[in-house]
Amino acid sequence: MPPDRTMDAAVRAQLDAAEQLRKAMDALRFAAPVACVYNPLDYAWNAFRAYVERYGSAPKRTLFLGMNPGPWGMAQTGVPFGEVTAVREWMRIAVPTGRPPDEHPQYPVEGLACRRSEVSGQRLWGLFRERFGTPKAFFADHLVVNYCPLLFIAASPRRNGTEGGRNLTPDKLPAGERRALYAACDVHLRAVVAALRPRFLVGIGAFAEARAREDLPGADVEIVRILHPSPASPLSNRDWPGTATRQLLDAGVWAK
Protein backbone atom coordinates (compact mmCIF):
# COMPACT_ATOMS: atom_id res chain seq x y z
CA MET A 1 0.00 0.00 0.00
CA PRO A 2 1.23 3.56 -0.67
CA PRO A 3 2.11 5.59 2.44
CA ASP A 4 -0.64 7.65 4.04
CA ARG A 5 0.48 11.22 3.26
CA THR A 6 -1.83 12.63 5.95
CA MET A 7 -0.21 10.58 8.72
CA ASP A 8 2.22 12.19 11.15
CA ALA A 9 5.76 11.39 10.00
CA ALA A 10 6.78 10.08 13.42
CA VAL A 11 3.74 7.83 13.55
CA ARG A 12 4.48 6.47 10.10
CA ALA A 13 8.12 5.86 11.05
CA GLN A 14 7.08 3.95 14.17
CA LEU A 15 4.59 1.80 12.29
CA ASP A 16 7.13 1.08 9.56
CA ALA A 17 9.67 0.07 12.20
CA ALA A 18 7.11 -2.11 13.96
CA GLU A 19 6.23 -3.85 10.70
CA GLN A 20 9.90 -4.63 10.12
CA LEU A 21 10.19 -5.87 13.70
CA ARG A 22 7.12 -8.07 13.23
CA LYS A 23 8.65 -9.70 10.16
CA ALA A 24 11.97 -10.20 11.93
CA MET A 25 10.24 -11.81 14.92
CA ASP A 26 8.22 -14.16 12.72
CA ALA A 27 11.45 -15.45 11.19
CA LEU A 28 12.96 -16.44 14.55
CA ARG A 29 12.73 -19.89 16.08
CA PHE A 30 13.05 -20.80 19.74
CA ALA A 31 13.91 -24.18 21.23
CA ALA A 32 12.75 -25.83 24.44
CA PRO A 33 11.85 -24.91 27.08
CA VAL A 34 9.89 -22.37 24.98
CA ALA A 35 6.57 -24.02 24.14
CA CYS A 36 4.60 -21.10 22.67
CA VAL A 37 5.47 -17.65 21.35
CA TYR A 38 2.87 -14.90 21.08
CA ASN A 39 3.52 -11.95 18.76
CA PRO A 40 0.87 -9.26 19.35
CA LEU A 41 2.28 -7.32 16.40
CA ASP A 42 0.71 -10.10 14.32
CA TYR A 43 -2.66 -10.95 15.83
CA ALA A 44 -3.26 -7.61 17.61
CA TRP A 45 -1.73 -5.35 14.95
CA ASN A 46 -4.85 -3.24 14.48
CA ALA A 47 -4.98 -2.40 18.19
CA PHE A 48 -1.27 -1.60 18.33
CA ARG A 49 -1.62 0.57 15.24
CA ALA A 50 -4.54 2.43 16.83
CA TYR A 51 -2.40 3.13 19.91
CA VAL A 52 0.47 4.53 17.86
CA GLU A 53 -1.76 6.53 15.52
CA ARG A 54 -3.68 8.09 18.39
CA TYR A 55 -0.86 8.79 20.80
CA GLY A 56 2.49 8.45 19.00
CA SER A 57 2.98 11.86 17.41
CA ALA A 58 6.33 13.59 17.94
CA PRO A 59 8.14 14.97 19.71
CA LYS A 60 7.93 13.26 23.09
CA ARG A 61 9.90 14.53 26.05
CA THR A 62 9.91 11.09 27.70
CA LEU A 63 9.88 7.57 26.31
CA PHE A 64 9.10 4.80 28.79
CA LEU A 65 10.64 1.45 27.80
CA GLY A 66 9.37 -1.90 29.07
CA MET A 67 10.75 -5.40 28.59
CA ASN A 68 8.14 -7.47 26.70
CA PRO A 69 4.40 -8.22 26.78
CA GLY A 70 2.76 -9.71 29.83
CA PRO A 71 0.23 -12.52 29.33
CA TRP A 72 -2.68 -10.43 30.64
CA GLY A 73 -1.51 -7.08 29.24
CA MET A 74 -0.15 -6.44 25.76
CA ALA A 75 -0.73 -10.07 24.84
CA GLN A 76 -4.46 -9.34 25.25
CA THR A 77 -4.77 -5.77 24.01
CA GLY A 78 -1.83 -5.06 21.68
CA VAL A 79 -0.86 -2.01 23.80
CA PRO A 80 2.38 -1.95 25.82
CA PHE A 81 1.62 -2.72 29.49
CA GLY A 82 -1.94 -2.83 28.18
CA GLU A 83 -4.02 -3.75 31.19
CA VAL A 84 -7.52 -4.25 29.80
CA THR A 85 -9.40 -1.65 31.86
CA ALA A 86 -6.78 1.05 31.22
CA VAL A 87 -6.84 0.41 27.48
CA ARG A 88 -10.61 0.20 27.15
CA GLU A 89 -11.76 2.84 29.62
CA TRP A 90 -8.90 5.36 29.87
CA MET A 91 -7.20 5.25 26.46
CA ARG A 92 -10.52 4.48 24.76
CA ILE A 93 -8.97 1.93 22.45
CA ALA A 94 -11.59 -0.72 21.76
CA VAL A 95 -10.12 -2.57 18.79
CA PRO A 96 -10.78 -6.32 18.51
CA THR A 97 -7.76 -8.60 18.39
CA GLY A 98 -7.19 -12.01 16.90
CA ARG A 99 -5.46 -14.90 18.60
CA PRO A 100 -2.00 -16.39 18.26
CA PRO A 101 -1.86 -19.52 16.10
CA ASP A 102 -0.15 -21.58 18.79
CA GLU A 103 -2.11 -20.67 21.91
CA HIS A 104 -1.27 -22.21 25.27
CA PRO A 105 -4.40 -23.39 27.15
CA GLN A 106 -3.13 -21.80 30.35
CA TYR A 107 -2.75 -18.40 28.66
CA PRO A 108 -5.79 -17.85 26.42
CA VAL A 109 -6.05 -14.59 24.48
CA GLU A 110 -9.51 -13.10 24.95
CA GLY A 111 -8.72 -9.51 24.05
CA LEU A 112 -10.75 -6.83 25.78
CA ALA A 113 -13.02 -9.55 27.18
CA CYS A 114 -10.16 -10.84 29.33
CA ARG A 115 -11.09 -10.71 33.02
CA ARG A 116 -7.54 -11.10 34.30
CA SER A 117 -5.67 -7.93 35.23
CA GLU A 118 -2.02 -7.31 34.38
CA VAL A 119 -0.83 -5.91 37.71
CA SER A 120 2.25 -4.24 36.21
CA GLY A 121 0.10 -2.43 33.66
CA GLN A 122 -2.53 -1.56 36.23
CA ARG A 123 0.13 0.09 38.38
CA LEU A 124 1.89 1.87 35.53
CA TRP A 125 -1.15 3.32 33.79
CA GLY A 126 -2.78 3.96 37.17
CA LEU A 127 0.16 6.19 38.11
CA PHE A 128 -0.08 8.10 34.83
CA ARG A 129 -3.82 8.51 35.20
CA GLU A 130 -3.47 9.75 38.78
CA ARG A 131 -0.80 12.32 37.88
CA PHE A 132 -2.05 13.55 34.49
CA GLY A 133 -5.77 12.86 34.60
CA THR A 134 -6.41 12.47 30.89
CA PRO A 135 -4.66 10.53 28.11
CA LYS A 136 -4.30 13.80 26.19
CA ALA A 137 -2.28 15.33 29.03
CA PHE A 138 -0.04 12.28 29.49
CA PHE A 139 0.60 11.48 25.84
CA ALA A 140 1.38 15.08 24.98
CA ASP A 141 4.91 14.48 26.28
CA HIS A 142 5.15 10.72 26.93
CA LEU A 143 4.85 7.36 25.21
CA VAL A 144 5.28 3.78 26.42
CA VAL A 145 6.88 1.11 24.23
CA ASN A 146 8.28 -2.38 24.78
CA TYR A 147 11.80 -3.42 23.84
CA CYS A 148 10.72 -6.91 22.74
CA PRO A 149 7.27 -7.59 21.26
CA LEU A 150 7.16 -11.31 22.04
CA LEU A 151 5.62 -13.21 24.94
CA PHE A 152 7.39 -16.50 25.64
CA ILE A 153 5.62 -19.35 27.40
CA ALA A 154 7.84 -22.14 28.67
CA ALA A 155 6.77 -25.70 29.31
CA SER A 156 6.29 -26.33 33.02
CA PRO A 157 5.27 -29.91 33.85
CA ARG A 158 2.94 -30.21 36.81
CA ARG A 159 3.24 -32.70 39.62
CA ASN A 160 0.24 -34.63 38.33
CA GLY A 161 2.04 -35.20 35.03
CA THR A 162 0.00 -32.74 32.95
CA GLU A 163 1.66 -29.98 30.92
CA GLY A 164 1.55 -26.49 32.38
CA GLY A 165 3.18 -23.25 31.29
CA ARG A 166 5.01 -20.28 32.74
CA ASN A 167 5.99 -16.83 31.52
CA LEU A 168 9.62 -16.75 30.34
CA THR A 169 11.33 -13.37 29.99
CA PRO A 170 13.73 -12.70 27.07
CA ASP A 171 16.80 -12.50 29.29
CA LYS A 172 16.31 -16.17 30.21
CA LEU A 173 16.68 -17.38 26.61
CA PRO A 174 19.90 -19.13 25.48
CA ALA A 175 22.67 -16.77 24.34
CA GLY A 176 22.32 -17.54 20.64
CA GLU A 177 18.58 -16.92 20.65
CA ARG A 178 19.04 -13.72 22.63
CA ARG A 179 21.56 -12.36 20.13
CA ALA A 180 19.22 -12.79 17.18
CA LEU A 181 16.27 -11.41 19.13
CA TYR A 182 18.13 -8.41 20.53
CA ALA A 183 19.60 -7.50 17.14
CA ALA A 184 16.14 -6.95 15.67
CA CYS A 185 14.79 -5.26 18.80
CA ASP A 186 17.77 -2.87 18.84
CA VAL A 187 17.02 -1.72 15.30
CA HIS A 188 13.43 -1.03 16.28
CA LEU A 189 14.35 0.88 19.44
CA ARG A 190 16.76 3.11 17.54
CA ALA A 191 14.06 3.88 14.98
CA VAL A 192 11.53 4.80 17.67
CA VAL A 193 14.03 7.07 19.44
CA ALA A 194 14.90 8.74 16.13
CA ALA A 195 11.22 9.31 15.37
CA LEU A 196 10.21 10.67 18.79
CA ARG A 197 13.43 12.52 19.75
CA PRO A 198 12.91 12.15 23.51
CA ARG A 199 14.99 14.00 26.07
CA PHE A 200 14.57 11.13 28.55
CA LEU A 201 14.35 7.38 28.07
CA VAL A 202 13.04 5.72 31.21
CA GLY A 203 13.82 2.05 31.55
CA ILE A 204 11.02 0.34 33.42
CA GLY A 205 13.25 -2.01 35.36
CA ALA A 206 16.91 -2.98 35.07
CA PHE A 207 16.59 -5.00 31.85
CA ALA A 208 15.09 -2.16 29.83
CA GLU A 209 17.62 0.34 31.15
CA ALA A 210 20.52 -2.00 30.30
CA ARG A 211 19.27 -2.63 26.76
CA ALA A 212 18.84 1.11 26.16
CA ARG A 213 22.34 1.90 27.42
CA GLU A 214 23.88 -0.81 25.23
CA ASP A 215 21.83 0.09 22.18
CA LEU A 216 22.06 3.89 22.33
CA PRO A 217 25.66 4.80 23.17
CA GLY A 218 26.27 8.46 22.51
CA ALA A 219 22.63 9.14 21.69
CA ASP A 220 21.25 12.55 22.61
CA VAL A 221 18.93 11.11 25.25
CA GLU A 222 19.25 10.80 29.01
CA ILE A 223 18.67 7.23 30.18
CA VAL A 224 17.24 6.70 33.64
CA ARG A 225 15.48 3.86 35.44
CA ILE A 226 12.44 3.34 37.61
CA LEU A 227 11.50 0.32 39.67
CA HIS A 228 9.54 -2.24 37.68
CA PRO A 229 5.92 -2.46 38.86
CA SER A 230 5.88 -6.27 38.82
CA PRO A 231 4.19 -7.86 41.85
CA ALA A 232 7.07 -10.37 41.85
CA SER A 233 9.25 -7.64 43.34
CA PRO A 234 8.82 -7.14 47.11
CA LEU A 235 9.85 -3.48 46.72
CA SER A 236 7.15 -2.92 44.10
CA ASN A 237 4.51 -4.16 46.49
CA ARG A 238 5.40 -1.37 48.94
CA ASP A 239 4.00 1.82 47.43
CA TRP A 240 5.27 1.37 43.88
CA PRO A 241 3.57 4.60 42.67
CA GLY A 242 5.31 6.63 45.37
CA THR A 243 8.70 5.05 44.66
CA ALA A 244 8.44 5.52 40.89
CA THR A 245 7.27 9.10 41.28
CA ARG A 246 10.21 9.95 43.53
CA GLN A 247 12.62 8.39 41.04
CA LEU A 248 11.15 10.41 38.17
CA LEU A 249 11.20 13.62 40.19
CA ASP A 250 14.79 13.07 41.34
CA ALA A 251 15.92 12.39 37.75
CA GLY A 252 14.26 15.57 36.52
CA VAL A 253 11.86 13.69 34.26
CA TRP A 254 8.89 15.17 36.09
CA ALA A 255 8.76 18.61 37.73
CA LYS A 256 8.60 18.80 41.51
Side-chain angles (χ1 to χ4, degrees), residues 93-177:
I93 296 175
V95 179
T97 65
R99 305 180 80 149
D102 186 19
E103 192 174 52
H104 194 284
Q106 195 170 322
Y107 295 95
V109 173
E110 300 172 312
L112 294 175
C114 178
R115 297 185 179 183
R116 294 283 298 267
S117 178
E118 184 79 61
V119 176
S120 295
Q122 184 180 56
R123 289 174 173 173
L124 187 75
W125 292 111
L127 170 62
F128 298 155
R129 183 173 187 171
E130 178 67 23
R131 185 171 180 87
F132 292 92
T134 66
K136 181 179 180 180
F138 172 74
F139 287 110
D141 287 318
H142 307 77
L143 194 68
V144 180
V145 301
N146 271 332
Y147 174 73
C148 170
L150 301 182
L151 167 67
F152 301 96
I153 300 173
S156 182
R158 296 170 176 156
R159 291 183 179 179
N160 62 7
T162 60
E163 187 60 60
R166 59 184 174 85
N167 186 16
L168 185 74
T169 53
D171 57 315
K172 301 300 191 297
L173 294 169
E177 294 180 355

Side-chain angles (χ1 to χ4, degrees), residues 11-92:
V11 168
R12 186 164 59 245
Q14 290 172 81
L15 291 176
D16 288 346
E19 287 184 336
Q20 293 304 311
L21 181 62
R22 177 180 65 193
K23 294 174 183 177
M25 295 297 100
D26 287 344
L28 298 178
R29 297 295 178 266
F30 301 93
V34 174
C36 298
V37 179
Y38 293 9
N39 186 355
L41 295 184
D42 279 329
Y43 64 85
W45 173 257
N46 289 338
F48 174 80
R49 180 185 178 104
Y51 168 74
V52 175
E53 287 182 343
R54 185 173 300 181
Y55 298 121
S57 60
K60 300 293 187 196
R61 185 172 186 271
T62 305
L63 180 65
F64 286 90
L65 181 68
M67 177 186 264
N68 74 311
W72 315 116
M74 186 176 182
Q76 302 292 331
T77 64
V79 175
F81 282 88
E83 194 266 338
V84 170
T85 301
V87 171
R88 183 181 58 223
E89 298 181 9
W90 192 59
M91 295 180 225
R92 299 294 182 182

